[in-house]
Amino acid sequence: MYGGDEVSAIVVDMGSSTVKAGYAGEDTPKAVFPSAVGWIMKDQLSAGGNDGGDVEMKEAKGVARKGGRKKAGGDKNSVEEEEDDDRVGKKGTAGGLAVNHDSAKTKHFYVDDLSYRRDGVEITSPFDENGHVQDWDVVEAIWEHTLRTRLVVQSDEHPILLGEPVNASRETREKMVELLFEKHNPPAVFLAKNPVLTSFASGRATSLIVDCGAGGTTVTAVHDGYALRNAVTRSPLGGDALTDVVLSYLEKTKRTQVRPRFEFTKTQKGADSFDISVVKGLGGTSVGYRLYKQREIAADLKETVCRMSDKAFHSGDMENVPSVAYELPDGNVVEVGAERFKIPEILFNPDLVKELGLPSDKTPTWRDPNDPNQPLKGLPQIILDTISKCDVDARKDLFGGVVVAGGGSLFASLRERLESELHDAAPTNVRVKVTASQNTVERKFTTWIGGSILASLGSFQQMWLSKQEYEEHGAGLIHKRCP
């Protein structure tokens, strides 16, 4: 049992869009950076003279890695990881999840360093489309960058609390614990479910958490501080899905080319005019990196222009809506009319995407994750389905404790609209209450804030999984200590 609370714990929330990390007890995370990571093979890096690498991962089976050291001549994000021969083969991989069996391959990872274009760099994410961890090398690179470069801490001095998806598998949880203890050697570790942390941040022990993230929307019932695993519903509709719709709408419907900022230069010609010059020699840019930078522009348009309608969207009611002008980085101005209401409405009515005038090959065909033969349901119906999976006695409390969080929920009027739709669908004797922080920062970082609150409580200190317990009982103890 770990009972030391003399040093602040580190709280890390690795989301599908951004990684948030900081000290327990603080209001906001110290470090926030994209969870998307660039990578390139080492032989390409050497052949092309491409410097400025972030993390070099030597993929060797059964090799536990030691703390990184700075590369001579590298930038502030350059970390080289080296093998520790003393620890080869001491610990196996949990649940058969090996980092990589091919020791001949070596990758360089660019974490929090994608603003600079590099030839041959591809973009990857630690998560798959269902929110499960798919690439442990990327996870290791993110943790290394978080602790060594952004927080600059001695990881063996601070316990670490990690937020995890509610549907994380047993093998994934054991692998996380093993990597943390074997690589970073913290005195203690705790894994907390994201919806539970969100519920704590809102000051509730029982609530229905609607987490609108980049990779999708997850609705989870939390009862007395525990996530109900049988009452979890996930939808692929999230911030990234709407961003892709915006990008397709601009390029296919509006016939407007979305050019990433690295493809041109702007020279001021007059008071309000610029000359645009195309940058040559960009043939080495990967398709994935170009798309990543295009999505950044589309996401900014979505966040700046789009808003939720006060009632169900009907094209006839929006014919006279004034358009809003948005200037792209290259100076082209796009007029966005009723679509600024129609695109967010897709969260409530996914079939509305068919009315955006997109070509058939660019029109998403979202299906129900639980029944691929059925179309995807809107957010209010997903919430009702989740509540119906719970015990009858708990449903009243869940209707009155709906909490909306996540960066994908920041559309204006979304909370009011959701409360109105749930009120119409709820039983007559049930009070419906939807809460969402009015502070943008708080709503985006709700999960991390909940972890910060939890890890700073004095009564929580006895719940940590200590290093000694891990060495005695193995990573499997995490399921008992952190249910």
Side-chain angles (χ1 to χ4, degrees), residues 226-248:
Y226 291 93
L228 305 182
R229 295 291 296 271
N230 64 325
V232 179
T233 310
R234 177 177 169 81
S235 167
L237 268 180
D240 287 349
L242 294 187
T243 298
D244 288 339
V245 170
V246 171
L247 183 58
S248 298

Side-chain angles (χ1 to χ4, degrees), residues 227-400:
L228 305 182
R229 295 291 296 271
N230 64 325
V232 179
T233 310
R234 177 177 169 81
S235 167
L237 268 180
D240 287 349
L242 294 187
T243 298
D244 288 339
V245 170
V246 171
L247 183 58
S248 298
Y249 168 74
L250 290 175
E251 294 196 322
K252 303 302 179 181
T253 304
K254 302 291 285 186
R255 306 289 183 184
T256 302
Q257 185 181 9
V258 180
R259 293 196 288 180
R261 187 64 183 85
F262 64 82
E263 291 188 349
F264 61 88
T265 58
K266 295 173 69 174
T267 306
Q268 188 166 359
K269 185 172 65 174
D272 298 315
S273 60
F274 294 87
D275 278 337
I276 303 296
S277 303
V278 177
V279 177
K280 298 180 180 179
L282 302 179
T285 307
S286 68
V287 175
Y289 182 78
R290 186 176 190 275
L291 179 60
Y292 174 79
K293 304 306 286 187
Q294 285 181 307
R295 282 175 170 166
E296 286 185 346
I297 298 171
D300 184 70
L301 185 150
K302 177 190 70 176
E303 296 162 6
T304 305
V305 173
C306 294
R307 60 165 292 154
M308 188 63 67
S309 175
D310 295 332
K311 56 183 180 180
F313 181 92
H314 297 290
S315 298
D317 300 337
M318 296 291 182
E319 289 180 351
N320 299 321
V321 171
S323 60
V324 174
Y326 180 86
E327 183 178 351
L328 297 171
D330 61 0
N332 288 329
V333 177
V334 180
E335 296 287 341
V336 184
E339 288 76 13
R340 63 193 179 101
F341 295 95
K342 186 181 294 186
I343 292 175
E345 185 74 15
I346 293 173
L347 288 174
F348 287 73
N349 181 12
D351 288 339
L352 206 60
V353 71
K354 300 174 183 176
E355 300 181 15
L356 288 172
L358 303 178
S360 58
D361 62 326
K362 291 294 183 180
T363 302
T365 54
W366 296 298
R367 312 302 293 179
D368 190 327
N370 298 320
D371 186 359
N373 296 322
Q374 297 295 323
L376 187 64
K377 298 176 182 178
L379 185 56
Q381 188 59 49
I382 291 175
I383 293 174
L384 294 172
D385 289 349
T386 305
I387 294 178
S388 67
K389 296 176 183 177
C390 300
D391 189 83
V392 176
D393 297 334
R395 294 177 187 177
K396 186 176 180 180
D397 292 336
L398 296 177
F399 270 113

Side-chain angles (χ1 to χ4, degrees), residues 55-68 80-85 87-88 91 93 98-103 105-107 109 136-137 140-141 144 148 175 178-185:
V55 178
E56 177 182 308
M57 304 294 292
K58 296 187 177 179
E59 303 168 341
K61 181 180 179 181
V63 177
R65 292 163 176 80
K66 195 179 180 182
E80 180 180 338
E81 294 193 348
E82 58 183 3
E83 299 175 0
D84 183 358
D85 295 334
R87 300 173 69 179
V88 173
K91 290 284 183 178
T93 53
V99 174
N100 196 303
H101 288 181
D102 190 350
S103 59
K105 294 181 180 178
T106 306
K107 290 181 180 179
F109 288 101
W136 289 100
D137 288 337
E140 285 190 65
E144 182 75 19
R148 306 279 188 236
K175 180 68 176 177
E178 181 178 315
L179 285 179
L180 278 174
F181 278 126
E182 293 302 320
K183 181 173 172 58
H184 299 288
N185 198 33

